Amino acid sequence: MFSELVVCYLFLGGAGAGACLVLSVMGILVPRSRFSKGPARSIFVSWEYRKLFGFGFAFALVALVAGGLFLFADLGRADMVLQLFTSPRAVHITIGAYALIFCILGATLQALIWAQMIRRSSVFILRLLCVLTALISLVVIAYTGLLLQSLRSVPLWHNIWLPALFILSSLSCGMGLVMGASLLAGLGSVFGSVLRQIAFFDGLVIALEALSVVTFLLTTLVSASKTAVLSGKELVLGSNSGLFWAGFVLLGLVVPLALDYQLCSRQPIRASLGMTSAACVLAGGFVMRYCLVQAGVHPGI
């Protein structure tokens, strides 16, 4: 039903959209004084902001485009890809495909403006674009979880807590991408306070994600559906249980939560801690989706 290509799409689409959301909110919060006026309705920003948003959106775009390619590769045929955009019914996958395309467009425009490759703009237009990109990113983030929940043929996924888990994971992965991109760009000392705030919110999201996982598992294991219960047991005790506990719970939740605490409490920010936290969050996000898909498709233990 769901191949590894779709798992990659669910992960990359969520992480890329999460990064777009984080960067768009950051763009809205950039003080007006940081922009300088140029001739012919042009705006200019300092090199620090060009690198911050340039690297950030570059990483987000790579994730979004790669996710779209994985989705199209899974469909296999050009007519199936075309059907995504021409379907007369507003099904989840059609809405998601359009949202993904518009998210890529919004991120591309923002990247070009922040990198000063498009100068004929204004602060108002840029902030409006940030708002629109943030809203579209939210649709992409929510869609990945809602897509699985809508498939009633898989009882494990038909759980109200699944979209919440995917949303929180995508937000955390998005913050991990932004953190990693900023540190790779050498901006740890320039935007240390911003990155500490990202680490703080990432820790908060990870704590909520852990709570969502616990609630998801509890509601699954007491479900009236025997197949859902079997799938839940497969998730925590089955063939991929080691990957779930070590790759997602430990590596994707416990370790980055501890590292985020260290990042928030120490000055200056340590690039090694930030990069490790980002890598763990992203690895955990992929493992979580892989294990959930495998347990739903193969419920036996």
Side-chain angles (χ1 to χ4, degrees), residues 28 35 44-45 48-49 59 73 187 203 225 246 249 266:
I28 295 171
F35 296 92
F44 295 90
V45 291
E48 297 97 332
Y49 285 95
F59 275 60
L187 299 173
S225 169
V249 176
R266 292 186 178 184

Side-chain angles (χ1 to χ4, degrees), residues 197-211:
Q197 291 179 33
I198 291 177
F200 171 79
F201 284 108
D202 184 47
L204 181 61
V205 169
I206 289 174
L208 293 174
E209 186 181 354
L211 181 61

Side-chain angles (χ1 to χ4, degrees), residues 79-155:
D79 60 316
M80 294 293 291
V81 175
L82 183 61
Q83 189 175 348
L84 279 179
F85 302 97
T86 58
S87 174
R89 296 195 306 160
V91 295
H92 283 89
I93 195 166
T94 301
I95 295 173
Y98 273 106
L100 182 65
I101 295 298
F102 283 117
C103 191
I104 291 173
L105 178 61
T108 301
L109 290 174
Q110 278 205 66
L112 293 175
I113 293 175
W114 284 110
Q116 306 288 265
M117 298 179 71
I118 296 179
R119 292 190 175 184
R120 292 185 63 85
S121 183
S122 66
V123 177
F124 172 77
I125 292 176
L126 178 57
R127 294 207 194 283
L128 179 61
L129 183 59
C130 288
V131 171
L132 293 175
T133 304
L135 293 175
I136 295 170
S137 299
L138 278 173
V139 175
V140 177
I141 289 171
Y143 150 76
T144 55
L146 291 172
L147 172 65
L148 294 188
Q149 190 199 29
S150 67
L151 299 175
R152 296 179 178 271
S153 59
V154 183

Side-chain angles (χ1 to χ4, degrees), residues 7 27 33 61 81 90 122 124 130 132 149 156 191 211 226 238 249 274 289 291 297 300:
V7 176
S33 59
L61 281 169
V81 175
S122 66
F124 172 77
C130 288
L132 293 175
Q149 190 199 29
L156 176 67
F191 290 104
L211 181 61
K226 292 183 179 180
V249 176
R289 288 162 176 80
C291 290
V297 175

Side-chain angles (χ1 to χ4, degrees), residues 18 20 32 43 145 164 174 209 215 237 244 267 272-273:
C20 284
R32 181 66 177 80
I43 57 173
E209 186 181 354
T215 309
L237 299 173
F244 176 79
Q267 292 185 356
S272 58
L273 290 181

Side-chain angles (χ1 to χ4, degrees), residues 180-299:
S182 302
L183 293 174
L184 284 175
L187 299 173
S189 59
V190 180
F191 290 104
S193 61
V194 174
L195 295 181
R196 277 190 291 275
Q197 291 179 33
I198 291 177
F200 171 79
F201 284 108
D202 184 47
L204 181 61
V205 169
I206 289 174
L208 293 174
E209 186 181 354
L211 181 61
S212 296
V213 171
V214 173
T215 309
F216 173 82
L217 290 175
L218 289 176
T219 54
T220 296
L221 294 175
V222 299
S223 172
S225 169
K226 292 183 179 180
T227 304
V229 174
L230 283 175
S231 295
K233 291 181 179 180
E234 170 66 19
L235 183 63
V236 298
L237 299 173
S239 58
N240 290 316
S241 59
L243 188 60
F244 176 79
W245 291 109
F248 172 53
V249 176
L250 179 61
L251 189 65
L253 297 177
V254 177
V255 172
L257 186 60
L259 293 176
D260 284 340
Y261 174 78
Q262 294 294 320
L263 289 168
C264 291
S265 59
R266 292 186 178 184
Q267 292 185 356
I269 194 166
R270 292 180 59 182
S272 58
L273 290 181
M275 292 295 296
T276 303
S277 176
C280 289
V281 163
L282 292 169
F286 176 81
V287 169
M288 182 268 285
R289 288 162 176 80
Y290 176 81
C291 290
L292 276 173
V293 168
Q294 290 299 312
V297 175
H298 307 289

